[in-house]
Amino acid sequence: MKRYTYYIIALLALLSSCTNAEFEFSGYPCYFVFNNSASQSPALASATNPASPGIFCKITLADATHFGFQTNQGLSDRVAMTAIDQQRDITLGVYNGTGIIVGYGNLSTPAVFYAYDSQCPNCFGNSNLPRYALTMHTDGTAECSSCHRIYDMNNDGLVISGDAGEKLIRYHANASNGVVSVIN
């Protein structure tokens, strides 16, 4: 009987330690590493400052040799890729054409650094076509022009308006010492 009790306790401990953490981040590939200390994008710098939460920056490939950066506050710029950037295999989410969105949320202390795909997860999930780019708003929300869902980028990308659905596609990300990395 003691032997079964041990197994039951071990099983209960295992089951109680499981969380939804494995569902917090996407399984889609994403690879972006950028040294903003060297390349100097004011738009990206504003979104990667933990003292300014609520500012989000969309990162795109402007062309073969430049990154494009645009914040939800209207600041935008283009920065030339370094030789190192050009040698990397850059993958900006499910579709390089629309990119990724990064920034610190304003609902927790310390602020959480988020990286999201710029595609509507619900429309993309239904069609598997990367043509549902999100539009960012100054209040830290992002909207899909197709399904009209509104997502809260400050709060884990949850749907806050429109039909219920999946939250934004989220990637592992870090912003430290001027280097932004989004790696999934």
Side-chain angles (χ1 to χ4, degrees), residues 4-156:
Y4 292 115
T5 304
Y6 171 77
Y7 288 122
I8 291 171
I9 291 171
L11 181 62
L12 289 174
L14 177 65
L15 292 175
S16 67
S17 66
C18 294
T19 66
N20 287 333
E22 65 268 19
F23 301 112
E24 186 175 351
F25 298 100
S26 168
Y28 291 113
C30 188
Y31 187 85
F32 174 76
V33 176
F34 187 78
N35 184 349
N36 203 35
S37 296
S39 297
Q40 304 283 320
S41 164
L44 184 61
S46 67
T48 57
N49 181 352
S52 301
I55 299 175
F56 291 88
C57 182
K58 184 182 283 189
I59 302 166
T60 59
L61 294 173
D63 57 43
T65 60
H66 290 84
F67 291 111
F69 301 98
Q70 179 183 12
T71 70
N72 62 329
Q73 305 300 313
L75 181 62
S76 64
D77 54 57
R78 286 172 35 121
V79 175
M81 291 181 186
T82 65
I84 294 171
D85 292 332
Q86 292 178 11
Q87 292 174 358
R88 290 186 177 128
D89 288 329
I90 299 164
T91 305
L92 296 178
V94 297
Y95 179 54
N96 274 339
T98 56
I100 57 176
I101 300 169
V102 299
Y104 281 96
N106 63 11
L107 295 180
S108 61
T109 303
V112 175
F113 187 68
Y114 292 108
Y116 301 115
D117 201 285
S118 65
Q119 290 289 312
C120 173
N122 294 287
C123 292
F124 174 73
N126 289 337
S127 69
N128 216 23
L129 296 172
R131 60 179 181 203
Y132 302 101
L134 298 168
T135 301
M136 297 185 301
H137 300 293
T138 58
D139 63 355
T141 60
E143 182 175 1
C144 175
S145 61
S146 179
C147 69
H148 305 290
R149 286 180 178 92
I150 298 176
Y151 301 90
D152 187 351
M153 295 187 294
N154 288 297
N155 190 16
D156 204 28

